[in-house]
Amino acid sequence: MNLFNLNIENKDEYYNHAIEYFNKITVEDHNCGNFDNIVPKSISILIHHDFIPAPCVEIKLDILQNQKKIGNYFLYISEQKEFIDEFLIF
């Protein structure tokens, strides 16, 4: 699959993939307490980055607590949907 030919119908698959990786992080790892919801935000193709191997797919999730955004989770995967990196920002 060519990264530039990502099929929009597969977006739920990409978001589910990111949520699955996010759920592997324990509460102790992110020290945010409880959160209400994880909201799919965007899927992007990363062409160049200083320290993340590119090109790759960036999947962004918003993390909500009491209906307010408290953070973001970013998952970076290869064209073959293999894990590259992840960032959790609060």
Side-chain angles (χ1 to χ4, degrees):
M1 169 183 27
N2 184 337
L3 282 176
F4 292 104
N5 292 327
L6 289 176
N7 191 339
I8 193 69
E9 287 129 16
N10 292 335
K11 68 180 169 110
D12 290 336
E13 180 182 340
Y14 283 95
Y15 286 130
N16 289 337
H17 200 62
I19 290 168
E20 179 181 317
Y21 272 96
F22 176 78
N23 286 332
K24 290 180 183 179
I25 300 171
T26 65
V27 173
E28 295 82 27
D29 289 340
H30 50 69
N31 286 329
C32 72
N34 295 326
F35 50 88
D36 300 323
N37 206 355
I38 302 168
V39 179
K41 192 63 176 177
S42 66
I43 300 171
S44 306
I45 298 172
L46 189 63
I47 304 286
H48 173 265
H49 198 280
D50 286 343
F51 59 89
I52 295 175
C56 65
V57 177
E58 175 191 75
I59 306 163
K60 179 181 176 184
L61 306 174
D62 282 351
I63 302 165
L64 306 179
Q65 186 176 50
N66 299 323
Q67 298 180 332
K68 293 182 182 178
K69 181 177 148 187
I70 62 165
N72 292 108
Y73 175 75
F74 297 87
L75 175 66
Y76 298 90
I77 58 174
S78 70
E79 189 174 353
Q80 295 79 25
K81 298 182 184 167
E82 297 167 334
F83 178 86
I84 294 176
D85 210 343
E86 64 185 344
F87 292 102
L88 180 60
I89 302 170
F90 285 104

